[in-house]
Amino acid sequence: MPTDSDTTVAELRKIIADFVAERDWSQFHSPKNVSMALAIEAAELMEHFQWLTTEDSRKLPSDPKKLADVGEELADVIGYSFALANELGIDVSNAIRSKMVKNVKKYPADEFRGRYSRENDNQLG
Amino acid sequence: MPTDSDTTVAELRKIIADFVAERDWSQFHSPKNVSMALAIEAAELMEHFQWLTTEDSRKLPSDPKKLADVGEELADVIGYSFALANELGIDVSNAIRSKMVKNVKKYPADEFRGRYSRENDNQLG
Amino acid sequence: MPTDSDTTVAELRKIIADFVAERDWSQFHSPKNVSMALAIEAAELMEHFQWLTTEDSRKLPSDPKKLADVGEELADVIGYSFALANELGIDVSNAIRSKMVKNVKKYPADEFRGRYSRENDNQLG
Amino acid sequence: MPTDSDTTVAELRKIIADFVAERDWSQFHSPKNVSMALAIEAAELMEHFQWLTTEDSRKLPSDPKKLADVGEELADVIGYSFALANELGIDVSNAIRSKMVKNVKKYPADEFRGRYSRENDNQLG
């Protein structure tokens, strides 16, 4: 199976687009609805880490069953992210590159090394 | 700027990984914390569609300023998704392909064409 | 059974506090964890409305089974809200009254009648 | 100002209902929209705990400014919970009491004392 190194974003987006088209589901995929679906999947992903300490959450990869479960939830989150990009006509690579240019300016490496905020900001946000 | 057609998933993941490494932020990026950040960004994305009707949400691309804002939020969501994949060592392409094989079986195209559920399931979930 | 008219907030908070104390669960109920649990329950509540149009979501009370399901999810959300108030020592009535005084100033009734924003704000937020 | 001990749930619900009615906002308050608003506020609440360790999150009450900020977010969450109860005609006290009876059966105190799951369940969920 191809991996992230030999898979373009467009290829993954097409898998989602085909799945939606074959079921004629675009009618349900208003951006509002897809944004809800995405938030719901993000919550299901978070559920796996809910009662763990921050440190224990780092050990999850040592349990293959749990890692596979989390991988499925992450696939749902990214799948809906691509579904939303498909509906809205957003180029994901462009959006990420542009945002990261902003983040590099907002969080200069020298100033934020080892600290995630001047006070309490969300670092990638 | 390269687009989704000539950008691999690994390239985008590396942009995120480098950003985190240059700031020594992996110490904050426990999977628990990143899953929270991801859910928070998903909520910020959803906020753009909160008071719109489902139909009006489809018209968002006609407003370039709003589309750009939504693109930034989507970049945050996918950025944190990749940050989580980086921390856990999950291959995103593999996870999505595997999950979509399951979804194709769970939602046969002939049975689910034009209906998102037998009763009320989440279609990509 | 007593109703909202003859139940104080303190009585409901005590039901939650007793439940937690009898299981010695305060050790898991760090504010961070409870805030995650609350967000997860809010997503489960939202799931019931995910694929409905805004208008169809108003008809939910006509289906007693669905209304009962939504009532359970709402109980979870408010239950965790009270659990968080218990952990942090926040008086809920005071917090709501204070916030609503702010909201009344922020959203003057004459200016916002029939419109939820000057542009696109979250009205109760 | 009255506190949780001398405030009924109905009194708080009426504060929210009056606020909505005076602005003629029920038109925007479809259950779908309110469920989204609730999830968004839950995420904003969670944001305060995002980068803290579980243990450090317990110390938040020692910072009056942060405690006040969290109190405002909690007021938003409960405010929207009551707005949803108002739209759907759900008695909150009844819903919580009924759900907690279920939870007491699902999580017998003797079996779950000091452990939140047989394996990995959400305890109040």
Side-chain angles (χ1 to χ4, degrees), chain D residues 34-81:
Chain D
V34 179
S35 76
M36 293 174 78
L38 177 48
I40 291 165
E41 296 299 337
E44 292 183 9
L45 176 58
M46 193 165 59
E47 205 170 347
H48 290 271
F49 304 107
Q50 181 175 18
W51 303 115
L52 304 180
T53 64
T54 43
E55 282 318 299
D56 281 348
S57 76
R58 294 185 190 270
K59 300 173 194 158
L60 186 124
S62 68
D63 182 331
K65 171 70 176 70
K66 284 187 183 164
L67 186 62
D69 288 348
V70 166
E72 283 210 16
E73 301 291 0
L74 189 59
D76 288 333
V77 167
I78 303 178
Y80 274 123
S81 298

Side-chain angles (χ1 to χ4, degrees), chain B residues 12-58:
Chain B
L12 293 182
R13 288 180 64 160
K14 187 169 186 315
I15 292 173
I16 305 296
D18 288 349
F19 181 85
V20 171
E22 285 159 11
R23 282 152 193 80
D24 192 18
W25 275 358
S26 187
Q27 62 187 296
F28 306 120
H29 274 212
S30 66
K32 180 181 178 104
N33 284 3
V34 178
S35 76
M36 293 174 79
L38 177 49
I40 290 165
E41 296 298 338
E44 291 183 8
L45 176 59
M46 192 165 60
E47 205 170 346
H48 290 272
F49 303 108
Q50 181 175 18
W51 303 114
L52 304 180
T53 64
T54 42
E55 283 317 299
D56 281 349
S57 76
R58 294 186 190 271

Side-chain angles (χ1 to χ4, degrees), chain D residues 17-115:
Chain D
D18 288 349
F19 181 86
V20 171
E22 285 159 10
R23 283 153 192 78
D24 192 18
W25 276 356
S26 188
Q27 61 187 299
F28 307 120
H29 274 212
S30 66
K32 180 179 177 108
N33 284 3
V34 179
S35 76
M36 293 174 78
L38 177 48
I40 291 165
E41 296 299 337
E44 292 183 9
L45 176 58
M46 193 165 59
E47 205 170 347
H48 290 271
F49 304 107
Q50 181 175 18
W51 303 115
L52 304 180
T53 64
T54 43
E55 282 318 299
D56 281 348
S57 76
R58 294 185 190 270
K59 300 173 194 158
L60 186 124
S62 68
D63 182 331
K65 171 70 176 70
K66 284 187 183 164
L67 186 62
D69 288 348
V70 166
E72 283 210 16
E73 301 291 0
L74 189 59
D76 288 333
V77 167
I78 303 178
Y80 274 123
S81 298
F82 289 165
L84 186 58
N86 288 343
E87 292 295 333
L88 294 172
I90 290 171
D91 188 87
V92 165
S93 306
N94 196 309
I96 290 180
R97 285 193 176 92
S98 302
K99 186 62 195 287
M100 293 310 288
V101 167
K102 280 197 181 184
N103 280 342
V104 164
K105 281 182 197 157
K106 189 173 174 188
Y107 303 101
D110 283 349
E111 188 177 354
F112 283 87
R113 189 162 294 119
R115 50 203 304 263

Side-chain angles (χ1 to χ4, degrees), chain C residues 3 8 13 31 34 41 63 78 107 111:
Chain C
T3 67
T8 64
R13 288 180 63 160
V34 178
E41 295 298 338
D63 183 330
I78 303 178
Y107 304 101
E111 189 179 353

